Amino acid sequence: MSGNDRSRKFVELIGSATFEEAFQRKVRQRRWGVALVTLGISLLGLWLMFDIVGARGWTPLEVAETGLFGLLFATLSFGFTQAFLGFLVLAEGHEPLKITNTLDEETPLASTGIVMPVYNEDAETVFGNIRALYESLRERGELDSYDFYILSDSTDPAKAVEEELAWSDVCRQTSGFGKIHYRRRKLPVNRKSGNVADFCRRWGHRHRYMVVLDADSVMTGKAVSSLVRLMERNPRAGIIQTMPRLAKAETLFGRIQQFASRLYSPIFAAGLNFWQQGAGNYWGHNAIIRVSPFLSSCGLPGLPGKEPLGGRVLSHDFVEAALMRNAGWEVWFAHDLEGSYEGMPPNLTEYVKRDRRWCQGNLQHMWLLLAQNIRPISRIHLVQGILAYGSAPLLTLFLLLGALQAGLDRLYEKLGMFPAASAAVLFLMTLALLFGPKVLSLLHLFSRPKELAAFGGPVRVLLSAILETLFSIFTAPVLVWFHTRFVLRNIAGKTVTWHTQTRDGGAGPSWYDVVREYWPLTMAGVGLSAAAWWIAPSYLAWISPILLGLVLAIPIAKLSGGVGLFRKLFLTPEELRPPKELCVRYHLQLRDGDQFVHALLDPFYNAVHAALQRPRESSTLAVNSYATSLGARLFKEGAEALTPQQKRALLADGQTLAWLHNLIWKTPAVRLHPSWASALAQYRSSKRGARPQSVSVPISVVGASET
Amino acid sequence: MAISPEYLGPLRVGIRSSPEWTEAWDRINDYLDALKAPDSVDRDLILLSSFERAIARKRREPFTPATELAFEETQKALDHALRHLVDRSVPEDRRLVEQRVRLYLTENVDGSLLGRTEELSEEVLQALREVKLQAAPNLQVASITPRPLELSSPGKGVVNLARWLSPIGANSIIGWVIGLAILGLLVFASLYR
């Protein structure tokens, strides 16, 4: 039977009486298979470790070390098993049990909200990505089924003004009034999850589905409509997650990650779908959610204790998937659905900073493991998320215990031989588990000449893969260092603060900032190298890949933010031939300087902002007089007189802003605070041309906004 | 309506002869530039009428700055020119804002609307009057209620243990001492193979 025949048969089986039973049996078989293979590999590794360590008798340090080895090796085995099964699935060319088999382009669409929560993001990126999807759906003639919501939690007053202008500008250019909506919360309660929950409370009954996007998410209209159709075809699906591909990277770090993800993730994704099936996970974006069960079942619980490990749930996605599963809904992974993309941090420092937040969020999930009624597969997802960061301190401890034992042996001159055959086999096994998935991915790609050509050809792919592997070897110790720090700080009830901030994502942090953040790693690398040399030169050679990563942390971190390096390597099909949604560049022309100031001075900025605020009648007298007093102070003491919080309060009062606008413009320069006088002077030098002369919009469509 | 340059010229010369009025003239021109008002007869008309009235007011209100008078009169002139674009029910303090919104929305449609409102068809005017800049749709409220975390019996035990241990973990000195003590114990026990 060909793959297509089997696929057809699978679709026909859906809904039949025997299907559910057969499906469940098949899924159970698969899960047992994955568990047994993982267990088999882990036990073999553990047995070899026993043979090596036990040959000279056991010490308590070695017992602890072996215990940690067992845990870490099992994690590694599970990842390898998943990749290997994924490789087999893709090599076979047909997977009967995947959600995309049920896709039918004739299925009617349903009302869907495209939801993008943002927090002090770059307005051009946010609205550019929304516009790309909007245009894509319009070209497909499917716009009627969709509404777009930019859900802002931005606290920076200037960002808030930028967002409003970008919203009105995009709506103006696309005739999107009444279709593209913008809402900014005054208080960002519960961060992103609270933002989405607020959307559900306000407009939850407006749509059957919501597609959740991140600020850097790009999706094609086809992908979004496919998700809606898949939902319609699978009435038990509560969430369908896509596999977003990394795209639009410009820096070396970003392009390496982009290449690695594009090359290696297909086999992992196929393997993941192989065993999880309808018990999948949600990653927080580039996914579709059925709103009704989300409303009834996915309200996030409070966690015991206080932040960082307790309090409000930070990483909401895994929890929402678990709650959705608890309520009896399926969560699917449409891993082979094309047209789903996301961005990524531009350099190592930004990547680590993102991990700092994710680490805290994932560690909170420990409480969910102690909860009742969480399904076993959801627990596995939660454990995987915790171990994504929790394995770093375990690995550090494993290395530390090994080094201490080796140091003791050196001190007592007991450095002895160990069974060479077992050691060699274990070494090779570890290498196979670590690098096997990369080799399998390359084999998969090389078996598909067209895809290989889309990556730039065999030579470039091989060279890129070798360099990527070297880069990942060098960066892994840096990540382990920081993850260990994050986990330990979180367990101690503290969060990690970061000294530096990358102002320019493209250029990356300066040498000064990099040295300031990474010098402890270099010092530790040098110190540990000296200690390892003292134990035995062969021991130093053994752990040199780890120590080298620490020693070279500063240049690697700096290099990671470089633009223009290795441009002919690390190519991906999306970089060579990007889909048009990835090519959309939206340029919002703004006046130079603080946009909060221009919200007061520019007649258009001021009018757009003031018109969007609720009328004063809805506010209390105290609020009104507070806003007026802020306005008076701002006028008297200049643009920098207010704190960001006060500026936000003032921005919420359209009437005061309009009053201030008139007051500043009509006051002679001698009576104005110097900051206002100099801000007004900009309006003389920037005479005209500060705003884009963008596409023409017929007047008839301008008033399309709902009333 | 055409304006004679002969009329505007002397006004400009007169204004330039006084620093106070020069500032007012520049300020109003900057404002009209910010409004994207094109260099046209209509702009001149707004300037002319505004400054005429402002100069007249200055005689009655000598202590009011010329910039203030000129700006207020310009606002009135703009209001007069754009009054057709806004519904009459809009309160006066909001009307100027709404007029600027309409100028912004139609900014790219065949140049500025300033001075051209009389050329617009009634249908277009009506559409403009009905415009309401609304960023978000009307509410269709739903509820999403958080459910409490129901811990299992072992889970409750762990939570109690965590509560008991948290003062120790929160103190970094105690945490380091305990961690190093465990490690030291392991090392000590491993001294002799």
Side-chain angles (χ1 to χ4, degrees), chain A residues 251-524:
Chain A
T251 59
L252 179 65
F253 181 79
R255 292 186 63 250
I256 289 177
Q257 299 300 316
Q258 186 172 281
F259 169 79
S261 152
R262 185 69 173 85
L263 178 61
Y264 308 137
S265 61
I267 64 166
F268 279 103
L272 184 61
N273 180 65
F274 177 85
W275 66 267
Q276 70 178 17
Q277 293 292 304
N281 207 354
Y282 168 45
W283 299 339
H285 57 90
N286 293 48
I288 189 166
I289 296 175
R290 196 179 293 275
V291 176
S292 172
F294 188 82
L295 286 170
S296 58
S297 314
C298 295
L300 293 172
L303 301 175
K306 294 182 291 186
E307 280 194 25
L309 293 182
R312 296 163 183 163
V313 174
L314 294 177
S315 288
H316 55 97
D317 37 19
F318 283 33
V319 183
E320 284 159 353
L323 295 173
M324 191 67 99
R325 290 285 300 130
N326 275 7
W329 295 86
E330 293 172 352
V331 179
W332 281 91
F333 182 28
H335 64 93
D336 56 344
L337 189 73
E338 299 285 330
S340 176
Y341 308 96
E342 65 170 326
M344 69 160 320
N347 53 58
L348 187 60
T349 304
E350 290 300 311
Y351 186 84
V352 170
K353 280 158 81 174
R354 186 183 72 175
D355 274 356
R356 177 187 50 161
R357 298 193 309 273
W358 287 8
C359 172
Q360 189 182 340
N362 284 15
L363 290 181
Q364 281 188 329
H365 295 164
M366 284 189 287
W367 297 117
L368 274 295
L369 294 178
L370 305 173
Q372 290 177 347
N373 305 327
I374 300 283
R375 297 195 179 197
I377 301 295
S378 297
R379 286 178 195 273
I380 290 176
H381 291 310
L382 293 168
V383 168
Q384 277 186 303
I386 294 165
L387 282 179
Y389 299 98
S391 58
L394 297 180
L395 181 63
T396 306
L397 191 58
F398 170 73
L399 293 170
L400 180 68
L401 296 178
L404 282 173
Q405 185 61 60
L408 289 180
D409 288 346
R410 162 75 172 79
L411 209 58
Y412 291 92
E413 294 180 349
K414 285 185 179 174
L415 280 172
M417 297 302 290
F418 42 80
S422 295
V425 173
L426 184 59
F427 178 63
L428 290 174
M429 256 183 88
T430 310
L431 285 183
L433 296 186
L434 281 171
F435 301 110
K438 290 181 192 262
V439 175
L440 292 174
S441 295
L442 283 170
L443 282 175
H444 171 68
L445 184 64
F446 274 74
S447 67
R448 288 162 171 73
K450 265 189 178 175
E451 268 186 61
L452 185 60
F455 273 87
V459 177
R460 281 180 179 164
V461 167
L462 270 180
L463 267 174
S464 304
I466 291 166
L467 285 176
E468 183 279 326
T469 305
L470 281 173
F471 188 78
S472 66
I473 289 171
F474 285 136
T475 49
V478 177
L479 295 179
V480 167
W481 172 283
F482 281 109
H483 290 177
T484 302
R485 200 175 144 213
F486 298 159
V487 172
L488 293 182
R489 295 276 299 177
N490 286 163
I491 288 174
K494 292 167 186 139
T495 51
V496 182
T497 52
W498 205 268
H499 302 301
T500 57
Q501 188 183 357
T502 305
R503 301 285 177 195
D504 179 357
S510 65
W511 273 109
Y512 173 79
D513 288 336
V514 170
V515 171
R516 199 173 158 212
E517 292 294 350
Y518 292 86
W519 70 265
L521 282 78
T522 306
M523 297 300 287

Side-chain angles (χ1 to χ4, degrees), chain B residues 10-166:
Chain B
L11 180 70
R12 275 189 181 138
V13 171
I15 283 168
R16 289 291 175 198
S17 65
S18 150
E20 190 186 13
W21 283 104
T22 302
E23 188 193 358
W25 179 263
D26 289 341
R27 181 70 64 81
I28 300 306
N29 272 289
D30 290 345
Y31 191 75
L32 292 176
D33 283 340
L35 272 176
K36 302 282 158 55
D39 282 322
S40 67
V41 172
D42 302 300
R43 179 180 169 130
D44 288 342
L45 186 64
I46 288 170
L47 280 168
L48 183 65
S49 57
S50 304
F51 275 85
E52 257 186 340
R53 286 199 298 271
I55 290 165
R57 270 181 68 188
K58 183 73 176 172
R59 290 192 197 107
R60 297 193 301 274
E61 305 168 45
F63 299 109
T64 309
T67 307
E68 184 176 336
L69 293 171
F71 187 79
E72 284 175 2
E73 292 306 324
T74 306
Q75 293 283 56
K76 284 180 192 165
L78 287 170
D79 184 30
H80 180 76
L82 301 170
R83 67 183 185 279
H84 312 295
L85 307 183
V86 181
D87 194 83
R88 282 179 190 175
S89 63
V90 174
E92 196 173 334
D93 60 344
R94 183 90 176 177
R95 203 169 60 229
L96 290 172
V97 168
E98 292 295 336
Q99 285 166 356
R100 277 187 270 137
V101 166
R102 278 144 185 81
L103 281 182
Y104 171 72
L105 292 176
T106 55
E107 183 193 340
N108 298 307
V109 186
D110 200 19
S112 175
L113 272 181
L114 264 177
R116 294 196 306 110
T117 54
E118 285 163 13
E119 298 168 18
L120 301 175
S121 68
E122 186 50 40
E123 192 185 355
V124 172
L125 283 172
Q126 189 57 33
L128 282 169
R129 277 183 212 117
E130 285 170 7
V131 164
K132 185 171 187 294
L133 202 60
Q134 187 177 354
N138 296 330
L139 299 185
Q140 282 181 258
V141 182
S143 69
I144 174 167
T145 315
R147 294 185 173 192
L149 191 69
E150 289 175 26
L151 294 169
S152 58
S153 304
K156 284 174 189 160
V158 174
V159 170
N160 288 333
L161 184 67
R163 281 207 184 107
W164 188 72
L165 289 174
S166 64

